[in-house]
Amino acid sequence: MRGPRGLGRTRSAVFAAVLALGAGALGAGTAPPAAALTPPVGFTADHLSTYQTNGIVWSLAEANGVVYAGGTFSNVRPAGSPAGSNTRPAVNFAAFDAATGAPTGCSLSFTRSSGTATVRALAVSADRSTLYAGGYFNAVNGTAANGLVAINTATCQLRPGFSPDFGATVRALDVAANGTVYAGGDFQTVNGQTRRFFGAVTSTGALTAWNPDADEPGRTLKVTPDGASVLIGGEFFTVGGAASHALAVTSASSGALTRAYTGNFIPSSAVIKDIVTDAASGGWYVAGEGAGGSSFDGRLAMDLDGFDQRWRDTCQGATQALRVYQGVLYAGSHVHDCSSMGGFPNQVRKHLTAQSVDDPALLGWLPDTNDGIGEPVGPRALTVASRGGRDFLWVGGEFTTVNGVSQQALTRFANTPDTGAPAAPAVSVSAPRAGEVKVSWRSSLDLDDSLLTYRVYRDGGATPVHTTTGSSLFYSRPQLTFTDTNVVAGRTYSYRITASDGTNTSGLSAAASVTAAASASPYQEKVLADGAGLYWRYDEAGGAFAADASADDNSGVYANAPTYRSTPSAVAGSAALSLNGVDEYVYSDRLHRYTSPTPYSIETWFRTTSATGGRIIGYGSNIGTAQGHTSSISDKLLYLTDNGRLAFGVQSGNTRPTITTAGTYNDGSWHHAVATQGPAGMVLYVDGAAVGTNAATGNRSYNGYWRVGGDAMNNAWPNRPTSTYFAGQVDETAVYPTALTAAQVTAHHALAGTPPGPGDTTLSVTPDEDAYVNSVSANTNYNDSQLASRGTTAYLSYLRFTVPPAPSGQVLKSARLAFRTSSDSTAGSLDSHNVVPVTGTWTESTVTYNTRPALAATVLGTITGATSVSTDDTVELNASALGGALGSVYSLALTSSGTDSLRVWSSEAGTAAYRPQLVLTFGAE
């Protein structure tokens, strides 16, 4: 859009697919590694060292490995040099080596005797021998020239005899294969003859018959690959007297209109700023700049065969420049709002984006500039150049930073190598139930790789215990989850995660630790059993990531660092979140879609003494707090009025059906609130009991985000609170895709104070004694920090445990031997190793190969897959066979018939967590 407003977009179906991929890429199997540069992206997001200008670059072109820049500037300087230092003259024109970013010897000065000279358009002939430069100037290196010159690319000299006369600024150029030079701009005469805003000259500068005769200025044009047509864009409303606003197809010979675009195809408030063609995809692509949400700020994909529309990107953000490279459409804009396409809401501007030529969904390529000087809108020009076996995307414009680093008006990106590593994941761990640790993390952001590989490391191990892939974009960073079932109750585990694009790997995340539980929270289990699709327990110790305890991985983002792990909490065994009532809140990290009258329930605990009310939980169209970033649409709200009453409201048409309680709840105590809407209407429950109903079954249908703690609220909401942000504590927030029943609500409330029950009992014991023997040194006793197993030459290991009896009323349900391979380089084994009972006698201080004890023929379990060093592993044992050993001293042996040894830490290991454990799980008979 014109001026500082506008943006880019994504198609809702593809956006949904991105989110579904993020939610679904959680399989337990090992995923293949992601490759650097997620296809079809062809350029890295790492900007390269490039000379810069002291003004605006309006146009770029390339020929023979040289990139030409035209604009409004007076000098260039190296990357990293502040303005005014290390400069060399370059008056509105400069030429650069495409591969190094340094100036070549080509120096031309474009000037005017009065007014501000500028170069606005550059184009190269088909044989790459001639560069045409257009703009607002009347001399080049002191030689008279009026708006358009031809430059020999081999000598950097003006071509003699080419001296067309344009009556005003030339803003667009393209050169046909036959040498005809087509121009668009502000002029209304060429060589003294009428040519309103578009005209063409021959390679010698003679005026041609091409005359579209537009009524307003031209801004861009492009000859079709077959040479038969010229696509024109600009501000015009008519071409040759016929209606066709901002975009038209004309005959390449006469300029006659051959395809008009009418009926608001391009809204009257929009102009077209760039057109590019791509023979490989059979398409041409259009950049729009509009004024307002109902205008056109995005991109169009059109057919070269028939000139019809393929797709339309309706994001807002004033698209200025386009280029196609290997099936990807790269754009310079300031995209900031894609909500019209079911994408992200109004956010901070992004200035460089990529889309497939076949689909408008944004790809994972997001280097960035700032808006810069001038209008300002950021990038203004793009071109692709090749040199030294590499391809480069050059960007010019008004910007003064690139990827947060000072760099003015010019930058470039290459097709290889990718040197930027993803950000380290944000990790949250929990112990939701016996035998499980849940590791959740917010997917990382990489500016040129949307598909990343994640590796989960436990207890400082060098080998990952889990590997998976997941997709993320700056506006969609879904939660990924790994459930570790190789844990023992009462033992503390630590996890760290890396993210990799296949070439570059992030640093390890901050360590997140949790003690494995012996049983589950009854409240949590009931919430999950009743189908919560979003469940925030607020147990994080800090950071921006709010983990979702549900199976839907519907994570949240903590905004403005609320106070974490507040106590007392509403539910036993959990922590709460404190919000300041000013700017702290939590929002869902995934776009949701609600179509009325879809049933739902929202549930949360809250505690406050506020006398200014606040929005506790609700659904809104945006995620921020800054002006323009709060929700313009709000619905499904649970809020507190100034006098402490609780209200539940929805939007239904032009009305806001709302239930408001008679009682007040700002008494400093914890209260349980559940709001449901379904076929029977609306119900509000407080502290387990229904306190109000409404027959309304409808609500507003739109795409949005769940927010806890605050958002904008229209004055039309009944008893709108003074503060729309909640001051107090919240706990255990859940959203359901169904309307909970009264019985379910009552059960939830009743379970809040119930501590985790006994459930199954898991007991683990370390060996009283352990040692191994070696047939090569048959009389040597090996009583050290490692155990070993091998068939030939033979190693055997022995472990003695004092096995506890079963707890009263319980029986042995399962058993396993947990161990960790040692750091020895040969510790991992490709062979199988059996766990068998020891029937003979032995002691760890005296056993040798020659005095080794007898073994039973029974195999209790077989170790397979322990192929890595320094890795936790486990082997399931036959619980029935072990049942008779309960309450006694019992010995096990590790044996093998293979040739590849297994080495594991023994009970003498210096780190307690590395020692073997016999893990026994008991349950009711």
Side-chain angles (χ1 to χ4, degrees), residues 89-175:
V91 183
N92 301 318
F93 176 87
F96 304 91
D97 185 302
T100 67
T104 67
C106 180
S107 178
L108 297 171
S109 178
F110 288 72
T111 59
R112 282 192 64 82
S113 53
S114 63
T116 302
T118 185
V119 174
R120 290 300 183 103
L122 297 170
V124 176
S125 63
D127 64 2
R128 324 304 283 172
S129 67
T130 305
L131 170 70
Y132 294 92
Y136 185 60
F137 51 84
N138 58 20
V140 179
N141 282 7
T143 299
N146 201 9
L148 181 65
V149 295
I151 304 162
N152 186 309
T153 57
T155 65
C156 192
Q157 300 294 313
L158 294 185
R159 200 174 72 204
F162 184 84
S163 56
D165 181 6
F166 283 78
T169 306
V170 174
R171 296 180 180 272
L173 290 172
D174 197 22
V175 186

Side-chain angles (χ1 to χ4, degrees), residues 619-754:
Y619 188 65
S621 60
N622 212 328
I623 59 178
T625 56
Q627 184 176 2
H629 293 220
T630 54
S631 295
S632 58
I633 307 171
S634 291
D635 189 30
K636 309 170 189 61
L637 301 186
L638 190 63
Y639 60 96
L640 204 68
T641 66
D642 286 354
N643 61 3
R645 295 189 295 160
L646 193 64
F648 166 42
V650 300
Q651 288 195 50
S652 181
N654 294 322
T655 66
R656 286 176 169 79
T658 302
I659 303 167
T660 305
T661 64
T664 59
Y665 300 96
N666 58 345
D667 54 7
S669 298
W670 279 109
H671 295 285
H672 178 233
V674 178
T676 73
Q677 189 177 26
M682 302 165 60
V683 184
L684 176 60
Y685 301 86
V686 181
D687 295 335
V691 294
T693 62
N694 188 297
T697 59
N699 51 70
R700 186 154 182 178
S701 300
Y702 65 101
N703 301 324
Y705 304 82
W706 287 106
R707 293 178 52 136
V708 173
D711 197 3
M713 287 181 66
N714 188 288
N715 287 331
W717 286 102
N719 300 304
R720 180 185 181 274
T722 300
S723 172
T724 59
Y725 284 79
F726 176 76
Q729 292 79 46
V730 291
D731 198 8
E732 305 290 331
T733 299
V735 179
Y736 303 79
T738 59
L740 294 177
T741 66
Q744 288 174 313
V745 172
T746 300
H748 290 199
H749 180 256
L751 287 170
T754 305

Side-chain angles (χ1 to χ4, degrees), residues 519-676:
S519 57
S521 159
Y523 182 89
Q524 171 201 258
E525 293 301 284
K526 181 61 175 171
V527 169
L528 296 176
D530 286 342
L534 179 156
Y535 184 17
W536 298 338
R537 305 203 71 194
Y538 309 120
D539 287 343
E540 285 75 28
F545 174 54
D548 178 22
S550 85
D552 287 3
D553 290 303
N554 240 318
S555 59
V557 177
Y558 292 117
N560 301 313
T563 302
Y564 306 93
R565 299 198 63 80
S566 295
T567 56
S569 62
V571 173
S574 177
L577 185 74
S578 287
L579 302 166
N580 64 5
V582 177
D583 62 356
E584 295 172 351
Y585 64 102
V586 192
Y587 67 88
S588 56
D589 207 12
R590 182 189 302 174
L591 188 72
H592 295 78
R593 294 170 174 80
Y594 279 89
T595 302
S596 180
T598 302
Y600 64 91
S601 299
I602 52 180
E603 175 179 37
T604 196
W605 289 79
F606 70 94
R607 183 169 71 133
T608 185
T609 57
S610 172
T612 56
R615 175 170 160 161
I616 302 172
I617 178 173
Y619 188 65
S621 60
N622 212 328
I623 59 178
T625 56
Q627 184 176 2
H629 293 220
T630 54
S631 295
S632 58
I633 307 171
S634 291
D635 189 30
K636 309 170 189 61
L637 301 186
L638 190 63
Y639 60 96
L640 204 68
T641 66
D642 286 354
N643 61 3
R645 295 189 295 160
L646 193 64
F648 166 42
V650 300
Q651 288 195 50
S652 181
N654 294 322
T655 66
R656 286 176 169 79
T658 302
I659 303 167
T660 305
T661 64
T664 59
Y665 300 96
N666 58 345
D667 54 7
S669 298
W670 279 109
H671 295 285
H672 178 233
V674 178
T676 73

Side-chain angles (χ1 to χ4, degrees), residues 87-407:
T87 63
R88 64 174 72 182
V91 183
N92 301 318
F93 176 87
F96 304 91
D97 185 302
T100 67
T104 67
C106 180
S107 178
L108 297 171
S109 178
F110 288 72
T111 59
R112 282 192 64 82
S113 53
S114 63
T116 302
T118 185
V119 174
R120 290 300 183 103
L122 297 170
V124 176
S125 63
D127 64 2
R128 324 304 283 172
S129 67
T130 305
L131 170 70
Y132 294 92
Y136 185 60
F137 51 84
N138 58 20
V140 179
N141 282 7
T143 299
N146 201 9
L148 181 65
V149 295
I151 304 162
N152 186 309
T153 57
T155 65
C156 192
Q157 300 294 313
L158 294 185
R159 200 174 72 204
F162 184 84
S163 56
D165 181 6
F166 283 78
T169 306
V170 174
R171 296 180 180 272
L173 290 172
D174 197 22
V175 186
N178 64 7
T180 300
V181 183
Y182 295 89
D186 301 340
F187 56 85
Q188 297 197 50
T189 63
V190 180
N191 292 352
Q193 298 188 43
T194 299
R195 289 293 186 272
R196 293 200 303 165
F197 309 115
F198 290 97
V201 297
T202 67
S203 59
T204 62
L207 185 66
T208 75
W210 187 71
N211 184 14
D213 190 31
D215 65 333
E216 294 288 345
R219 292 290 177 261
T220 183
L221 53 81
K222 194 69 178 176
V223 181
T224 56
D226 63 7
S229 301
V230 180
L231 313 167
I232 64 173
E235 302 177 22
F236 52 83
F237 289 87
T238 63
V239 176
S244 188
H245 173 53
L247 190 66
V249 182
T250 68
S251 164
S253 56
S254 67
L257 181 67
T258 58
R259 174 66 185 269
Y261 296 95
T262 60
N264 209 42
F265 185 82
I266 302 297
S268 61
S269 57
V271 300
I272 298 304
K273 300 302 291 287
D274 199 12
I275 297 172
V276 296
T277 59
D278 178 46
S281 63
W284 53 292
Y285 305 90
V286 178
E289 178 184 275
S294 61
S295 191
F296 174 59
D297 256 358
R299 273 78 69 187
L300 289 176
M302 310 287 286
D303 274 321
L304 283 168
D305 182 10
F307 305 113
D308 293 325
Q309 177 180 302
R310 289 179 177 173
W311 52 256
R312 179 178 293 244
D313 168 341
T314 61
C315 290
Q316 296 178 25
T319 307
Q320 302 296 308
L322 302 172
R323 276 299 179 272
V324 175
Y325 174 78
Q326 295 184 354
V328 175
L329 178 66
Y330 294 88
S333 69
H334 52 260
V335 58
H336 61 84
D337 188 346
C338 288
S339 56
S340 63
M341 296 298 293
F344 57 88
N346 190 30
Q347 295 188 32
V348 175
R349 294 175 170 191
K350 302 292 182 181
H351 297 85
L352 293 168
T353 59
Q355 298 158 288
S356 166
V357 294
D358 298 320
D359 199 299
L362 291 185
L363 298 173
W365 186 79
L366 286 161
D368 203 11
T369 72
N370 64 355
D371 286 344
I373 62 178
E375 209 172 330
V377 297
R380 289 284 191 175
L382 302 174
T383 197
V384 174
S386 299
R387 188 160 192 147
R390 298 173 71 195
D391 297 335
F392 302 88
L393 176 68
W394 280 69
V395 182
E398 298 174 290
F399 52 86
T400 58
T401 66
V402 179
N403 289 339
V405 176
S406 292
Q407 174 72 20

